[in-house]
Amino acid sequence: MNELDRDTELVRARMHRAVADVEPAPDSLPRLLAAARRRRAPFRRPTFLVVAAAAVVAVFIGVALGFQTPDPQPVSVRPGNYVAAVGAGAIASFDVASGRRQDDVAQVSGGEVTDLAEDQGRMFALVSTSDGHRVVEVTAGGGQRDLDEAGDARALTAAGGRVAYADGDRIVLWIGGDRRELPIPGLRVIDLALSGDGRLALLAARGGAVELLITGPDPTTVDAGRAVSTGPCGPLAIAGTGPDIAALEPADCTAPGRARVATYAADTGQKLAAGVPFATPPLDPAHLGLSADPQGRVLVSVPGRAQWLVDGTEVLQIPLPCAASGPCTALPATF
């Protein structure tokens, strides 16, 4: 009988004496034999213990770190930055909460900036020149790239990789490198907005009445645009907010001095939210800006008068964008 057989018989005898009337677990014998082998080979114990201890520590650390990793937090509701033209072709960013100037974004040459629009980190500007207007894309490092020549361009907007503006009796729509002209006979454009899926919203006057029209995605004409019911007053400004359109509207047609930001679904024209009324100075659509950031917060900008950040049901009056030593910007700021 060899040594292994003697160990086996010894273990069996001990088990029978200890639990004569209990059937051992199926793994009892292998565990006891393993223990006997470890007693005969003490030089292996340190290596085994080190490996086992390392494994236990690794598991413990992994579990501890897993429990200590915080859950992803929602995007902060604190305002971020917006941009504003600060004169002589300069564009700068400002902190929404404090109004403090943060960075100089670009220096546009060859004219004066008259309007700004931003889309997915790309910034566009209307630049007034002696020959009319230019549409410029502000590029990385403060450079610029001319996009188009325009006569009396106005109401610049950008979203979803598209750019649009009114020019005379037409709307110019850029979709990638494709330039489209959409005639607008009989309409005087007050403001434009693009939804995320390429629908174009027009705030326009036909005769004396102001109406809101929303086209299908990437339109080739505005004739088939959906007329949106906005109530008796009519909006003062519009902006794209992802799949929807935000509209700044008087809270009361007969009592000026209060406004609200309503929300309309771009695909159906249905009014989704009426907005919270807030006090304002007299509002002139020609000197008024409405824009939205990726979180859907809306910036209402009245140059030289006041600014508000509308975040759902919360309306905060915020500082104007002003240089450290100079007047505040005369153009609406924009997200």
Side-chain angles (χ1 to χ4, degrees):
M1 180 180 294
N2 58 33
E3 185 177 358
L4 178 60
D5 293 336
R6 286 196 300 271
D7 286 341
T8 301
E9 291 300 324
L10 177 61
V11 169
R12 285 176 177 167
R14 288 179 179 175
M15 288 176 60
H16 283 297
R17 286 197 300 269
V19 286
D21 59 344
V22 178
E23 182 68 23
D27 62 346
S28 297
L29 180 59
R31 287 192 289 106
L32 289 173
L33 288 173
R37 292 190 187 98
R38 287 195 297 272
R39 286 196 299 271
R40 283 188 170 83
F43 62 91
R44 294 183 181 176
R45 184 181 302 167
T47 303
F48 173 79
L49 289 178
V50 169
V51 173
V56 171
V57 170
V59 171
F60 176 80
I61 292 175
V63 172
L65 289 176
F67 280 114
Q68 292 174 2
T69 301
D71 292 332
Q73 297 298 311
V75 175
S76 172
V77 297
R78 291 180 59 83
N81 287 357
Y82 60 85
V83 294
V86 292
I91 302 172
S93 66
F94 292 80
D95 177 70
V96 173
S98 65
R100 187 177 301 111
R101 186 168 175 168
Q102 300 293 310
D103 300 299
D104 292 335
V105 177
Q107 180 69 45
V108 179
S109 61
E112 180 182 356
V113 176
T114 60
D115 204 353
L116 290 171
E118 191 273 344
D119 173 43
Q120 302 172 355
R122 301 172 64 197
M123 186 174 301
F124 302 90
L126 280 180
V127 182
S128 176
T129 69
S130 58
D131 299 325
H133 284 80
R134 288 184 296 124
V135 183
V136 171
E137 179 182 356
V138 177
T139 58
Q144 64 186 58
R145 179 176 70 89
D146 287 355
L147 184 65
D148 199 8
E149 297 289 337
D152 62 346
R154 61 197 182 280
L156 179 68
T157 187
R162 303 163 178 86
V163 182
Y165 54 90
D167 186 8
D169 59 355
R170 61 189 174 176
I171 293 173
V172 178
L173 175 63
W174 284 87
I175 306 172
D178 178 26
R179 184 184 189 274
R180 298 181 185 178
E181 292 189 3
L182 285 58
I184 48 171
L187 290 178
R188 179 176 59 86
V189 172
I190 299 172
D191 204 0
L192 295 174
L194 283 163
S195 67
D197 63 355
R199 298 175 189 270
L200 178 65
L202 299 81
L203 182 61
R206 194 190 303 271
V210 175
E211 57 185 349
L212 176 60
L213 302 173
I214 302 179
T215 72
D218 297 337
T220 57
T221 177
V222 301
D223 293 339
R226 180 194 302 271
V228 177
S229 176
T230 60
C233 299
L236 302 170
I238 55 176
T241 59
D244 305 322
I245 301 295
L248 182 68
E249 301 177 344
D252 189 337
C253 300
T254 61
R258 291 178 68 78
R260 68 177 81 207
V261 177
T263 305
Y264 295 86
D267 55 349
T268 65
Q270 180 183 1
K271 195 170 192 174
L272 303 176
V276 177
F278 57 96
T280 69
L283 298 177
D284 178 5
H287 301 90
L288 173 65
L290 193 70
S291 58
D293 69 2
Q295 284 74 48
R297 298 173 297 189
V298 176
L299 177 66
V300 183
S301 180
V302 184
R305 304 295 297 275
Q307 288 193 142
W308 297 267
L309 181 72
V310 180
D311 187 2
T313 59
E314 186 176 15
V315 180
L316 302 174
Q317 187 165 357
I318 58 176
L320 289 166
C322 302
S325 59
C328 297
T329 177
L331 296 175
T334 184
F335 272 131

